[in-house]
């Protein structure tokens, strides 16, 4: 153990994990290439009981350099993945000899707004689908290609490309479809469930301590509007379920499987918590 | 209310994660190694202060990608221009980070890139002019450990 | 790693003698040679070690990169544009691969 981690250990033992340091998110507006994004919105009122009056984008909690990197689509390295995603969109795969474009044409037209409305009820599967599950359903049923494995590079880049077509459009999911409300409720229960040796729920950090510092991290509300998001730590795009699993792992609990019912319910609930915020994919975070 | 045991368990996790982030660790570059690298670049001269400005964040949000900008005051003519600017970091495994080479066609001697800093340390920028004179600037960048390593 | 993909941003037009800003970005892991893989062995270094920008065959800007340059190397620098012509950008990989891009600019 080096001196620094020892010092950190001593410091942590002597102080509460969440420091008293608090900083309001910045009062700035995000324009990506001059296009205004909605980074603050009144919390959704239906169903009632949203914990915040105003939902805020994680962008507001980041340092100036990180914010600037997202505001210029050229400087945003996540756009390299979006460009790769466009290539995947146009690549023929599978026995049916089709690409995404074979059925859906120009994504700029056909996918506009789609990413803002997911996760979405899928009647055939009897559960909500996110973009990744919808892509896999298209691949197996239409393209006769293999479903992507979780976090395959093509899956992340294609998802980012599709969601990027909704850049700026506010998140709004349809909770009236099918059984969405019961998934919402399950997701809500999961959000407040404490797990792991740290005994943290999602709400421990992103609701009760949103705005506080957890050591050097300025805790955001944990909204999903910027995923897949470019994280400086990984220097790559990170999918939402990857981050869900990372958060749960960090509570020292066994993370649920990606796209499991548990995490799909959580995705429905978290998407609702951030309704009204612009899709920022690919956002840039720490 | 968090019990002391839970807090300790959590601390152990965070500490372990901090360890993972550092991974394979050779000997760190030292201030001496950095001074030696400066000497190698300047031909043994001690750079003067002034003319070069290094811009870097006081606190880096993540050490994996820290934006740095150098700007040197120079007419950038055939007879008087900035030949090179090297960037060094005295707390990384090796002090060398990047070296820019300019010409009069560069117009102005300014460049921005993104660098890796393993921990809180000094970043040094040294400019070498076409006449061989050298100038330097340095900034300390604090590199923090994220809250949950995630 | 997927084939590195360069992106460059150069204005389409300039006036004679104008100093313009150029931005470049390329997808690359910049494997530092300092990390250990899951098997406990050090992952060998593989970085882009050189970047050059030329205008009509004349050197404008170069950079020697060390492993401390962040993944997906980004550069922002300036260029004086004396005449219409072509900027050529070159990235050299440790494995010998060379990635290039070209952009034309018109002087009015």
């Amino acid at each position: 153990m080096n001196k620094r981690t020892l010092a950190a250990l001593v410091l942590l033992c002597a102080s509460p994990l969440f420091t008293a340091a608090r900083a309001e998110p910045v009062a700035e507006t995000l324009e990506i290439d001059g296009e205004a994004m909605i980074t603050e919105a009144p919390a959704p009122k239906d169903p009632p009981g949203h914990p915040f009056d105003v939902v805020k984008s994680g962008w507001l909690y980041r340092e100036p350099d990180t914010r600037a990197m997202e505001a210029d689509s050229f400087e945003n390295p996540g756009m390299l993945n979006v460009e790769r995603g466009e290539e995947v969109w146009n690549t023929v795969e599978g026995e049916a000899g089709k690409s995404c474009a074979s059925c859906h044409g120009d994504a700029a037209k056909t996918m506009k707004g789609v990413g803002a409305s997911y996760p979405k009820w899928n009647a055939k599967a009897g559960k909500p689908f996110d973009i990744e599950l919808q892509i896999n359903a298209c691949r197996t049923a239409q393209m006769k290609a293999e479903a992507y494995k979780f976090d395959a590079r093509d899956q992340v880049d294609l998802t980012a490309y599709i969601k990027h077509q909704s850049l700026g459009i506010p998140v709004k999911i349809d909770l009236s479809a099918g059984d969405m409300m019961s998934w919402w409720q399950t997701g809500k229960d999961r959000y407040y469930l404490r797990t792991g040796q740290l005994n943290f729920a999602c709400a421990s950090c992103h609701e009760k301590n949103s705005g506080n510092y957890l050591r050097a991290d300025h805790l955001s509300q944990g909204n999903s509007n910027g995923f897949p998001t470019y994280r400086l730590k990984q220097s790559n795009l990170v999918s939402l379920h990857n981050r869900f699993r990372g958060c749960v792992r960090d509570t020292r609990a066994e993370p649920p499987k990606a796209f499991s019912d548990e995490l799909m319910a959580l995705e429905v609930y978290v998407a609702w918590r951030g309704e009204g915020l612009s899709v920022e994919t690919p956002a840039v975070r720490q | 209310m968090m019990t002391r045991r839970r807090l300790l368990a959590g601390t152990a996790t965070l500490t372990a994660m901090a360890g993972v982030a550092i991974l394979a660790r050779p000997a760190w570059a030292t201030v001496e190694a950095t001074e030696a690298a400066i000497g190698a670049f300047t031909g043994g001269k001690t750079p003067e202060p002034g003319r070069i400005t290094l811009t870097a964040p006081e606190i880096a949000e993540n050490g994996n990608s820290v934006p740095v900008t150098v700007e040197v005051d120079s007419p950038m003519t055939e007879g008087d221009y900035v030949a090179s600017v090297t960037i060094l970091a005295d707390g990384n495994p090796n002090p060398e980070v990047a070296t820019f080479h300019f010409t009069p066609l560069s117009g102005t001697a300014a460049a921005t890139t993104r660098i890796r800093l393993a921990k809180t340390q000094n970043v040094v920028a040294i400019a070498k002019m076409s006449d061989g004179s050298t100038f330097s600037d340095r900034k300390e960048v604090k590199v923090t450990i994220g809250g949950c390593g995630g | 790693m997927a084939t590195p993909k360069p992106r460059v941003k150069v204005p389409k037009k300039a006036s004679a003698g104008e100093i313009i800003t150029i931005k470049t970005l390329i997808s690359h892991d910049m494997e530092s040679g300092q990390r250990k893989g899951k098997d406990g062995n050090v992952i060998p270094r593989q970085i882009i070690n050189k970047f050059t920008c030329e205008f009509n065959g004349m050197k404008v800007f170069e950079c020697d990169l060390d492993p401390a340059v962040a993944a997906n190397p980004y550069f922002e620098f300036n260029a004086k544009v004396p005449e219409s012509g072509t900027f050529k950008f070159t990235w050299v990989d440790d494995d010998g691969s060379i990635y290039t891009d070209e952009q034309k600019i018109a002087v009015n």
Side-chain angles (χ1 to χ4, degrees):
Chain A
M1 187 185 294
N2 64 22
K3 262 188 198 162
R4 186 149 153 264
T5 38
L6 184 65
L9 183 76
V10 169
L11 189 74
L12 267 168
C13 291
S15 65
L17 192 52
F18 296 106
T19 59
R22 200 190 152 71
E24 291 305 316
V26 295
E28 281 189 27
T29 47
L30 169 60
E31 286 186 8
I32 298 179
D33 299 346
E35 197 78 14
M37 299 290 124
I38 304 164
T39 54
E40 288 190 39
K45 294 204 163 25
D46 183 31
H50 197 292
F52 299 120
D53 294 330
V54 177
V55 293
K56 295 179 181 181
S57 162
W59 183 81
L60 299 168
Y61 296 78
R62 302 277 56 87
E63 294 290 320
D65 290 318
T66 312
R67 294 203 303 272
M69 209 184 279
E70 184 178 330
D72 180 331
S73 70
F74 188 87
E75 293 183 22
N76 180 348
M79 290 302 291
L80 290 163
N81 299 71
V82 168
E83 286 182 2
R84 257 207 88 240
E86 182 174 10
E87 288 171 16
V88 177
W89 175 267
N90 289 307
T91 302
V92 171
E93 270 191 89
E95 288 168 21
K98 290 180 185 171
S99 67
C100 305
S102 307
C103 295
H104 298 288
D106 180 4
K109 290 180 188 135
T110 62
M111 293 295 123
K112 191 175 178 177
V114 169
S117 67
Y118 271 66
K120 195 173 180 178
W121 183 251
N122 186 294
K124 201 172 153 196
K127 62 184 243 184
F129 268 18
D130 55 10
I131 299 283
E132 288 92 331
L133 290 181
Q134 184 56 54
I135 290 169
N136 274 349
C138 279
R139 286 178 65 82
T140 51
Q142 307 298 330
M143 296 166 69
K144 307 290 179 204
E146 275 187 34
Y148 287 131
K149 288 200 169 71
F150 170 54
D151 268 356
R153 198 70 258 156
D154 283 1
Q155 179 182 60
V156 180
D157 292 353
L158 181 58
T159 302
Y161 175 66
I162 292 170
K163 281 199 77 173
H164 182 68
Q165 307 310 317
S166 300
L167 185 74
I169 297 175
V171 174
K172 174 78 183 131
I173 62 169
D174 183 4
L175 290 174
S176 69
D179 211 10
M180 281 290 269
M181 268 316 293
S182 77
W183 286 75
W184 178 91
Q185 185 60 52
T186 305
K188 182 179 179 182
D189 294 344
R190 183 63 188 80
Y191 197 88
Y192 290 96
L193 177 71
R194 288 175 175 271
T195 62
Q197 286 172 307
L198 284 184
N199 204 29
F200 280 178
C202 306
S204 308
C205 289
H206 294 294
E207 184 173 314
K208 294 193 176 70
N209 281 290
S210 154
N212 285 343
Y213 278 87
L214 176 56
R215 300 178 76 191
D217 262 353
H218 194 197
L219 291 168
S220 71
Q221 292 180 353
N223 289 312
S224 57
N225 57 312
F227 280 89
T229 193
Y230 188 85
R231 294 190 87 224
L232 302 178
K233 183 186 163 68
Q234 284 87 355
S235 296
N236 212 334
L237 279 192
V238 170
S239 69
L240 181 60
H241 284 238
N242 181 305
R243 189 81 285 271
F244 278 162
R245 284 168 50 81
C247 277
V248 174
R249 176 204 61 211
D250 293 344
T251 72
R252 271 202 131 187
E254 189 63 41
K257 282 208 162 71
F259 313 124
S260 59
D261 286 357
E262 187 176 349
L263 289 189
M264 284 311 301
L266 186 62
E267 182 173 352
V268 168
Y269 179 70
V270 169
W272 170 78
R273 280 175 76 106
E275 271 190 350
L277 296 174
S278 290
V279 171
E280 287 178 34
T281 308
V284 181
R285 302 290 183 256
Q286 73 279 31
Chain B
M1 191 67 197
M2 185 178 264
T3 66
R4 184 173 164 78
R5 176 173 298 185
R6 279 185 189 134
L7 186 59
L8 280 169
T11 306
T13 314
L14 295 171
T15 309
M17 283 167 183
V20 168
I22 292 163
L23 296 170
R25 175 190 295 177
W28 292 105
T30 58
V31 174
E32 290 74 32
T34 308
E35 291 304 321
I38 293 172
F41 180 73
T42 63
K45 278 185 246 170
T46 303
E48 297 164 49
R51 291 189 68 178
I52 180 166
T53 307
L54 168 68
T55 308
E58 192 184 336
I59 300 171
E61 193 147 33
N62 192 296
N64 274 345
S65 183
V66 183
V68 292
T69 298
V70 291
E71 284 174 276
V72 190
D73 180 20
S74 163
M76 295 303 276
T77 57
E78 288 294 334
D80 183 4
Y81 64 95
V82 181
S84 308
V85 172
T86 195
I87 298 175
L88 303 166
D90 69 7
N92 272 358
N94 298 299
E96 293 82 10
V97 176
T99 304
F100 303 125
H101 303 285
F102 299 98
T103 72
L105 263 190
S106 307
T108 55
T112 297
T113 190
R114 297 167 184 161
I115 70 172
R116 290 167 169 156
L117 296 176
K119 58 180 182 178
T120 296
Q121 59 187 291
N122 289 307
V123 179
V124 187
I126 303 123
K128 197 193 302 183
M129 306 299 180
S130 49
D131 67 1
S133 60
T134 55
F135 297 88
S136 76
D137 190 15
R138 69 176 65 205
K139 289 269 152 38
E140 189 194 44
V141 179
K142 292 188 178 74
V143 176
T144 53
I145 302 174
C148 52
Chain C
M1 189 171 67
T3 309
K5 207 171 143 41
R7 292 178 97 203
V8 300
K9 191 175 185 181
V10 178
K12 295 227 172 346
K13 286 180 194 165
S15 48
E18 188 181 340
I19 294 170
I20 59 161
T21 298
I22 294 175
K23 296 178 183 183
T24 71
L25 188 63
I26 187 166
S27 58
H28 199 287
D29 292 343
M30 293 293 281
E31 191 59 60
S32 67
Q34 302 287 343
R35 296 198 311 149
K36 280 184 181 173
K38 282 178 185 159
D39 59 3
N41 295 323
V42 172
I43 305 169
R45 168 184 143 152
Q46 193 191 340
I47 66 168
I48 284 173
N49 58 57
K50 192 157 192 75
F51 166 74
T52 60
C53 168
E54 291 175 336
F55 179 71
N56 290 348
M58 297 172 286
K59 189 175 128 182
V60 173
F61 175 79
E62 282 185 10
C63 182
D64 300 316
L65 294 78
D66 287 283
V69 173
N72 304 319
Y74 171 82
F75 293 113
E76 186 176 327
F77 54 93
N78 299 314
K80 194 173 188 171
V81 190
E83 62 202 13
S84 294
T86 305
F87 282 101
K88 186 177 179 189
F89 305 91
T90 308
W91 292 259
V92 182
D93 196 303
D94 273 351
D95 71 1
S97 305
I98 291 176
Y99 318 109
T100 59
D101 198 359
E102 290 189 2
Q103 293 286 320
K104 286 190 177 7
I105 188 164
V107 165
N108 29 1

